[in-house]
Amino acid sequence: MPTPLKGTAAVIAAAVGFSTLTAAAAAGPASRPAAPTRVTRAALDPSLVAGRGADLGFSEQEAENAVTDGTIVGPGRDAYTLAAEASGRSAVALEPGQYVEFTLPAAADAITVRYSIPDAATGGGTTAPLDVAVNGRDHRSMTLTSQYAWLYNEYPFSNDPAAGPLHPDWWTTECGCVPDATTPAPAFPTPFRPNHFYDEQRLLLGRTYHAGDVVRLTAPAGSTAPTTTIDLLDSQLVAPPKVDARAADVLLFGADPSGRRDSAEAIDRAIAFARKAHLPVYIPPGTYQVNRHIIVDDVTIEGAGSWYTILKGHQVTLPAPAPDGSVHTGVGLYGRDASAGGSHNVHLSGFAIEGDVRERIDTDQVNGIGGALSDSSIEGLYIHHTKAGMWLDGPMTNLTVSGNQIADQIADGINFHTGVTNSVVRGNFLRDTGDDGLAMWSEKTADSGDVFDHNTVQTPVLANGIALYGGSDLTVTDNLVADPIREGSALQIGTRFGAVPFSGRIRVGDNTTVRSGTFELNWKIGLGAIWIYALEHSVDADLEVTGDDFLDNTYNAIMMVSDWPVKDQYSITNVHFSDIKVDGTGTDVVSARAAGGATFQNVQARNVGAVGIDNCGSFHFTPAGSEFTVTDLGGNTGGGTTGPWMAGWELPNTLTCDDRPVVVAPPGPSPWS
């Protein structure tokens, strides 16, 4: 049995799923697999997601598939638990002295470990060692931290595990009440809604190891952490450092690669010189302390590679709030504000940005990349521990964002906000964002002509994997989205947050989602892997959803809904689904909770847990049937426990409303014949 946890640590552990861990441990250590650790993508066999998502050259191996004497946590999908936030919804917990080991599938000289260790009893995080050995020797030590993890409470969250509800005047699902208006006042156990448990850390191994070599991660016997939870290991062969002898080297302008002195002014001087001399700026290997924004315009900045060149900063409290409401600053590269004309011809590549953001303050500009960047590119960055990885405020145009990794953000991964046009986000990998992984947010001014293509988004703790909030002529193609945790879906098309209506052609095509269709904690209903939401306007643009695979859906594959207060005001029309594969739903293939209609053609479904179409319309239950019309264009085949998913009796607008159908967990996805 695991060593009993004491005091506050025991309460936190129980809240996030260690009660399950203790029960599992009674049966003994996890069994040893017969074969070397298999390689996965989003915890799936790679054949199921071929051609989709990002390929940045690393191999993912899940800890639950590895050799270990620890204890498997999960699988589980309930929010506020360690299992739910793990990739694939499962991980391995190590007590001091226990290990998990991975057999390398290919040559590698670098690893990334995704892990969780407990918070401090009063919040603020702890540190603990992790021993890394290859083939039983070549020992190295990593220092893990939970200082950037463990949030509590309602949005925008707290670092205090003992805090009560932040908004007692809000509706609270736990009591089904508004606490301030409830007598007697409800009491909430603490920690209240713990979340954001995981972090990741990278390590260069110092030499190249080969396929078949064994990497063992051990929680040392004297570890200060009662448990160290390992989610996965990424391994890769990193390219040698890039050298550009023709560039303006920041070392010549006084930058300090040891990180002891602040290098912001030296980098500013290098940028000013490079602009006059029409040269790029080069930042050689090293860790450079930067504690504020570097303003970039008409400049190319190159690092030696994101494993070698690191811009690392402290979050700094401003002496007075800035005009934009910021009360902190920190490391980040920013274009000029759009109101000042924005920046142009900026090209950033080959470095890491390591921030120091530990709380969510939405007015703070503490993002990795910010401002307005037109006719620009961002490539090959690693962005970690900032508020949002990239938050671009338009109007701006013609930005390409490619081949970047963004991890452990306290808010969004990448957000195109207000009037971003003709821009592309392609081939990026995002994991553990605290809000939408990728978003186009057309607040007041439309985003238009933008593309999200071949990206991977894993484990967004809050909200959606990929979200479109209004805009025109937008494209979302060939992405892989896995494991959204709460209050969101893998893909959302929504008129909300003050966004302008959708217009033109919206194409959502050839994407794969897995373990999505989560439980909406406020509505207390299941969502869809794709969630089309009419809240502030009707959704009536030409919306084409074609070629997508919706795998292992916790509830529905497809959900179309208008919020109750506006259900008679806004509708969802002109939506077309075709050539879709649905492999596994806990409930329905389609859940319609709005007026309007959609067409379906060649939608194949299997392992469907409830009636294929749950059609509530706008809840008037008229004698003429539902206010939502399902149009069968042919080729809609397959089904599940209740027969064909699209049965004749369900068409075109039969009321089949079951607000909370029984969930039948589907089997794992498998290849289609």
Side-chain angles (χ1 to χ4, degrees):
M1 294 287 287
T3 303
L5 302 173
K6 297 180 180 179
T8 303
V11 176
I12 295 175
V16 300
F18 274 118
S19 56
T20 302
L21 163 64
T22 303
S31 60
R32 298 172 66 92
T37 324
R38 66 179 181 266
V39 173
T40 57
R41 292 186 61 209
L44 288 172
D45 187 305
S47 65
L48 296 175
V49 294
R52 297 183 178 179
D55 182 3
L56 297 185
F58 59 82
S59 298
E60 170 195 280
Q61 294 172 292
E62 295 283 341
E64 63 269 22
N65 300 329
V67 175
T68 183
D69 62 351
T71 304
I72 293 177
V73 179
R77 305 194 190 187
D78 291 339
Y80 315 131
T81 65
L82 276 166
E85 291 191 18
S87 171
R89 310 300 181 120
S90 193
V92 169
L94 306 177
E95 297 177 34
Q98 293 184 323
Y99 69 88
V100 58
E101 64 182 26
F102 303 83
T103 302
L104 292 176
D109 61 359
I111 61 172
T112 300
V113 179
R114 187 169 193 252
Y115 66 90
S116 177
I117 61 173
D119 196 5
T122 57
T126 61
T127 60
L130 183 71
D131 181 73
V132 180
V134 185
N135 299 328
R137 55 185 187 274
D138 296 345
H139 289 264
R140 297 167 182 82
S141 184
M142 300 173 74
T143 300
L144 308 183
T145 182
S146 56
Q147 293 168 333
Y148 299 98
W150 291 91
L151 299 175
Y152 306 92
N153 228 296
E154 300 156 313
Y155 171 88
F157 315 114
S158 166
N159 295 114
D160 181 3
L166 298 179
H167 306 285
D169 57 332
W170 287 9
W171 173 266
T172 303
T173 190
E174 284 82 359
C175 66
C177 69
V178 176
D180 272 357
T182 302
T183 304
F188 299 96
T190 55
F192 184 49
R193 299 184 182 178
N195 69 95
H196 211 269
F197 307 121
Y198 288 89
D199 203 344
E200 69 176 47
Q201 194 170 136
R202 306 195 299 172
L203 177 68
L204 285 167
L205 297 174
R207 53 161 289 193
T208 299
Y209 294 94
H210 304 289
D213 288 342
V214 176
V215 177
R216 176 178 282 203
L217 308 179
T218 303
S223 175
T224 53
T227 53
T228 299
T229 301
I230 304 296
D231 183 25
L232 56 78
L233 179 91
D234 293 332
S235 58
Q236 66 187 102
L237 191 62
V238 178
K242 176 183 178 180
V243 177
D244 189 347
R246 299 175 296 108
D249 189 321
V250 298
L251 299 183
L252 300 177
F253 297 87
D256 176 12
S258 74
R260 288 189 292 269
R261 291 184 289 106
D262 193 299
S263 293
E265 291 187 5
I267 295 173
D268 286 345
R269 289 192 291 269
I271 290 172
F273 174 84
R275 291 185 62 186
K276 291 179 181 178
H278 304 291
L279 293 172
V281 172
Y282 175 63
I283 309 178
T287 297
Y288 299 83
Q289 184 185 153
V290 176
N291 300 315
R292 60 167 171 82
H293 300 168
I294 301 292
I295 304 302
V296 291
D297 187 17
D298 190 24
V299 67
T300 296
I301 302 178
E302 308 166 339
S306 71
W307 286 83
Y308 307 112
T309 299
I310 301 168
L311 306 182
K312 184 178 178 66
H314 305 294
Q315 181 167 284
V316 176
T317 302
L318 297 173
D324 62 9
S326 295
V327 294
H328 298 97
T329 190
V331 61
L333 279 77
Y334 273 64
R336 300 185 188 281
D337 192 81
S339 64
S343 290
H344 299 76
N345 193 32
V346 174
H347 304 283
L348 310 174
S349 65
F351 54 89
I353 298 174
E354 285 278 355
D356 187 33
V357 178
R358 310 182 192 198
E359 60 181 335
R360 178 163 177 168
I361 301 174
D362 281 345
T363 55
D364 271 356
Q365 285 287 348
V366 286
N367 307 311
I369 305 291
L373 298 170
S374 293
D375 305 314
S376 298
S377 64
I378 304 168
E379 180 179 5
L381 305 190
Y382 177 79
I383 304 179
H384 197 217
H385 293 159
T386 57
K387 187 182 80 174
M390 302 182 194
W391 186 283
L392 289 311
D393 289 301
M396 53 172 277
T397 191
N398 191 28
L399 172 69
T400 299
V401 179
S402 62
N404 303 282
Q405 288 181 254
I406 298 174
D408 303 320
Q409 301 299 301
I410 214 157
D412 298 48
I414 300 173
N415 195 308
F416 281 180
H417 177 229
T418 302
V420 178
T421 63
N422 301 318
S423 295
V424 177
V425 175
R426 176 174 289 123
N428 303 279
F429 183 91
L430 301 97
R431 183 163 57 204
D432 195 39
T433 58
D435 213 306
D436 294 322
L438 299 174
M440 301 182 199
W441 181 14
S442 296
E443 186 181 26
K444 299 180 182 178
T445 304
D447 289 346
S448 179
D450 299 322
V451 176
F452 287 166
D453 177 70
H454 278 93
N455 303 286
T456 295
V457 181
Q458 290 184 237
T459 59
V461 176
L462 176 72
N464 307 283
I466 298 177
L468 306 183
Y469 303 125
S472 66
D473 298 310
L474 307 175
T475 301
V476 177
T477 49
D478 290 291
N479 301 284
L480 170 59
V481 184
D483 298 311
I485 312 303
R486 63 189 181 99
E487 297 173 47
S489 294
L491 307 170
Q492 182 177 130
I493 315 298
T495 59
R496 56 192 310 197
F497 304 128
V500 302
F502 287 104
S503 62
R505 179 175 180 248
I506 311 300
R507 180 171 179 245
V508 179
D510 301 313
N511 304 283
T512 295
T513 74
V514 61
R515 295 177 299 273
S516 185
T518 58
F519 187 67
E520 217 295 332
L521 297 162
N522 296 304
W523 290 343
K524 294 189 175 181
I525 60 171
L527 299 176
I530 183 169
W531 173 15
I532 301 170
Y533 188 23
L535 177 63
E536 296 173 357
H537 309 278
S538 292
V539 177
D540 53 11
D542 178 14
L543 174 53
E544 301 175 14
V545 183
T546 180
D548 300 281
D549 294 347
F550 302 128
L551 310 180
D552 195 1
N553 304 281
T554 308
Y555 286 87
N556 310 293
I558 298 165
M559 185 177 199
M560 291 167 280
V561 60
S562 183
D563 205 12
W564 185 268
V566 295
K567 65 184 179 64
D568 299 324
Q569 185 175 355
Y570 303 129
S571 61
I572 297 172
T573 57
N574 205 18
V575 182
H576 312 283
F577 295 91
S578 62
D579 302 318
I580 304 291
K581 290 185 174 69
V582 176
D583 190 357
T585 70
T587 54
D588 315 290
V589 175
V590 175
S591 175
R593 304 169 69 89
T599 67
F600 297 84
Q601 185 173 27
N602 297 329
V603 177
Q604 302 176 59
R606 64 188 185 191
N607 302 314
V608 177
V611 65
I613 302 172
D614 184 17
N615 193 344
C616 297
S618 55
F619 291 89
H620 289 291
F621 306 116
T622 71
S626 168
E627 299 88 353
F628 191 90
T629 300
V630 174
T631 301
D632 180 2
L633 297 183
N636 300 300
T637 61
T641 59
T642 64
W645 84 264
M646 181 177 278
W649 65 269
E650 296 174 312
L651 305 176
N653 63 336
T654 304
L655 282 162
T656 54
C657 188
D658 184 352
D659 209 31
R660 291 172 177 81
V662 174
V663 177
V664 179
S670 61
W672 289 80
S673 60

